[in-house]
Amino acid sequence: MKKLYIETLGCQMNKSDSERISGILSHFGYQETDNQKEADLLIINTCSIRQLSADKAYSQLGVWGKRKKDKPELKIAICGCVAQQDKDKIRKRAPYVDLIFGTHNIYELPALIKKIENNEKVCAITNVPFAENQNNFQINRKDSVNAWIPIIEGCNNFCTYCVVPYTRGRERSRIPEEIIKEAQNIIKQGFKEITLLGQNVDSYGKDLNNPNITLANLLRSLNKLEGKFRIRFVTSYPSDITDDLIKAVDECEKVCRYFHIPMQSGNSRILKEMNRRYTKEEYYNIVHKIRNKFDGVTITSDFIAGFPSETEEEFNDTLEAMEELELDYSNTAAYSPREFTKAGKMTEKFIPDDVKSARLERLNAKNREMALLSNKKFSGKILNVLVEEQTVKDNKVILNGRADNNKIVHFESEKYKIGDFVNVKINKAQTWCLYGEPVD
Ligand code: SAH
Ligand code: SF4
Ligand code: F3S
């Protein structure tokens, strides 16, 4: 067996891709290892959402390039979003790289790997449809409880700050039959949670020219599968959340009451500059609609601080939105200019770094405040928790898991194990997690 090491940066889509890459390569004699030093093949699966993530890819390649000097037979590959965009730059900065492959080319690995084993240098960056032969390969899933299923890749939205349409291409949905087959395998293997993935998961099916293929109907089909398991879906684009999707979440008992709906800014002018297809008021309406429908639902978001031309007042609208909507948690970031994007060219409107950092700091403070407020709402309540992890602290067995609404819950118990669903009465709320005790 040859040894394979994969370093994965970026979002869940990249993590899911890495599980598939590892699975495909296991058909060709590669076994994944956690120890880089013993690897025959090193792969870095990269992210370019912000400059910092892209920089990490190059510094890792630099370290690996030095290692190859002492071990010339070592193979180095780069894939993911930086690879898709930067093949010429990679060739120039890291000529020792053996294989560059794009976000669309994972299922071409069987042929690509043979070429690099014959000492060819290979670059495969082409636009191909979503591979429909995915179920023919092993998937080396990292988690034993939750399994990811990518259902739609790419993005048609072209938000002016974002590089994803350039790295992942246009939206491509997988056909429902393939997804359902993968879900059936997952359940058979004993997984207890399925997370459907897409850069815009709620656009699912739009490219398949069949009005019946929607995320709502896919949830309904998956919900009918036998077995005790949960279904989640991320990430939702606000204005693509249809009434039928909300209805499907309500109808389907296996689908979690949890929505991740990035707002990005609380100000309508900035949203327009970002090319987001909704106003502040429209986003508020979507959140109210969901909150009115489901008790105890959690709604999380993403926000960017310091988008080009953002004024102090406009930034304050973002803080206000987090507070008024009582958003349960938000991912936050300072705006990072990206190559190819429209906002990246608005150099004269860039916000100075110190102002961006100060705004990010305030965003994070508001986020902590809202997360604590959200968690406190669950004090005294009973949540159904899926156990994901077991640790031992001060001779006590502590189980960690997530509730249906994605809240992280810790409780002490020797009775339950990983993969169990347990009703837990919450008795303590902190900013990032809840504590409780099991109730029968
Ligand atoms: N498709 C999702 C987001 C995917 S990218 C959506 O439309 O909401 C994940 C997050 O990265 C985004 O929500 C955004 O908040 C952040 N992001 C993207 N580009 C960025 C940039 N140039 N600078 C800072 N943050 C960025
Ligand atoms: Fe990026 Fe916008 Fe597409 Fe999300 S919807 S991936 S933020 S371009
Ligand atoms: Fe990063 Fe690509 Fe995901 S840019 S966030 S790895 S889609």
Side-chain angles (χ1 to χ4, degrees), residues 171-434:
E171 285 171 5
R172 302 173 313 284
S173 303
R174 246 171 118 185
I175 56 170
E177 292 74 16
E178 290 284 320
I179 297 168
I180 291 165
K181 215 191 286 170
E182 189 173 329
Q184 282 166 329
N185 286 339
I186 286 168
I187 300 157
K188 224 190 293 162
Q189 287 165 30
F191 287 90
K192 294 292 161 35
E193 192 173 87
I194 291 174
T195 303
L196 306 177
L197 292 182
Q199 271 86 28
N200 299 290
V201 76
D202 45 356
S203 284
Y204 174 69
K206 280 185 189 165
D207 56 314
L208 293 179
N209 299 321
N210 175 346
N212 292 323
I213 303 182
T214 60
L215 177 60
N217 285 340
L218 181 66
L219 293 176
R220 290 182 177 110
S221 304
L222 293 171
N223 192 62
K224 283 193 206 125
L225 298 179
E226 292 275 323
K228 177 136 181 70
F229 65 96
R230 282 176 176 172
I231 307 166
R232 298 184 187 277
F233 55 92
V234 281
T235 298
S236 302
Y237 189 93
S239 45
D240 290 334
I241 297 187
T242 59
D243 288 347
D244 192 41
L245 177 60
I246 297 176
K247 192 158 163 263
V249 175
D250 191 33
E251 284 164 22
C252 298
E253 75 285 354
K254 288 176 176 138
V255 176
C256 294
R257 271 53 177 159
Y258 166 65
F259 290 79
H260 181 58
I261 330 170
M263 187 186 194
Q264 311 298 359
S265 164
N267 176 272
S268 294
R269 187 191 76 83
I270 293 293
L271 287 171
K272 195 146 184 266
E273 288 287 314
M274 289 175 160
N275 194 30
R276 299 290 283 183
R277 291 181 279 106
Y278 52 88
T279 59
K280 168 190 161 180
E281 289 74 21
E282 283 161 344
Y283 185 90
Y284 273 49
N285 283 341
I286 294 157
V287 169
H288 292 320
K289 212 190 276 182
I290 295 170
R291 291 241 195 259
N292 287 338
K293 187 83 181 179
F294 307 103
D295 244 4
V297 65
T298 54
I299 301 179
T300 58
S301 189
D302 295 354
F303 288 101
I304 297 175
F307 180 82
S309 83
E310 182 188 65
T311 65
E312 210 55 33
E313 290 72 34
E314 288 167 336
F315 172 70
N316 285 335
D317 288 345
T318 293
L319 298 179
E320 194 180 278
M322 287 168 99
E323 186 160 321
E324 288 181 349
L325 295 171
E326 297 192 4
L327 294 171
D328 296 278
Y329 171 81
S330 299
N331 299 310
T332 61
Y335 169 73
S336 168
R338 309 309 296 126
E339 207 181 345
F340 308 114
T341 62
K342 207 167 158 193
K345 299 184 180 80
M346 297 163 71
T347 43
E348 75 290 356
K349 293 185 179 160
F350 280 180
I351 306 294
D353 283 348
D354 57 335
V355 178
K356 274 198 293 195
S357 308
R359 285 185 194 167
L360 179 61
E361 199 34 61
R362 288 166 65 203
L363 207 54
N364 288 340
K366 181 57 76 189
N367 188 29
R368 286 193 293 273
E369 188 189 321
M370 299 326 294
L372 181 60
L373 177 78
S374 160
N375 279 350
K376 280 185 172 165
K377 289 181 202 162
F378 295 96
S379 257
K381 297 248 160 68
I382 293 173
L383 296 179
N384 188 253
V385 176
L386 170 56
V387 180
E388 295 175 341
E389 204 183 51
Q390 182 182 340
T391 53
V392 177
K393 205 175 159 193
D394 305 329
N395 283 330
K396 287 177 192 155
V397 180
I398 309 291
L399 300 176
N400 306 324
R402 273 175 309 143
D404 166 285
N405 61 11
N406 215 33
K407 290 280 173 195
I408 296 168
V409 180
H410 303 298
F411 62 98
E412 191 195 322
S413 173
E414 302 212 349
K415 188 167 152 196
Y416 299 102
K417 58 181 191 312
I418 292 174
D420 284 347
F421 290 92
V422 186
N423 283 329
V424 178
K425 185 165 188 201
I426 305 303
N427 52 31
K428 192 165 114 190
Q430 287 186 347
T431 305
W432 306 126
C433 63
L434 298 168

Side-chain angles (χ1 to χ4, degrees), residues 49 154-165 199-200 237 264 276:
I49 202 80
C155 179
N156 295 352
N157 284 321
F158 289 92
C159 302
T160 56
Y161 51 83
C162 181
V163 81
V164 171
Q199 271 86 28
N200 299 290
Y237 189 93
Q264 311 298 359
R276 299 290 283 183

Side-chain angles (χ1 to χ4, degrees), residues 69-94:
K69 279 194 184 138
D70 301 329
K71 191 179 169 186
E73 69 283 10
L74 178 68
K75 301 287 180 211
I76 301 177
I78 174 166
C79 61
C81 291
V82 175
Q84 182 75 29
Q85 264 188 304
D86 273 3
K87 62 176 189 306
D88 296 329
K89 201 148 106 196
I90 295 166
R91 281 203 192 106
K92 214 188 272 157
R93 284 179 65 172

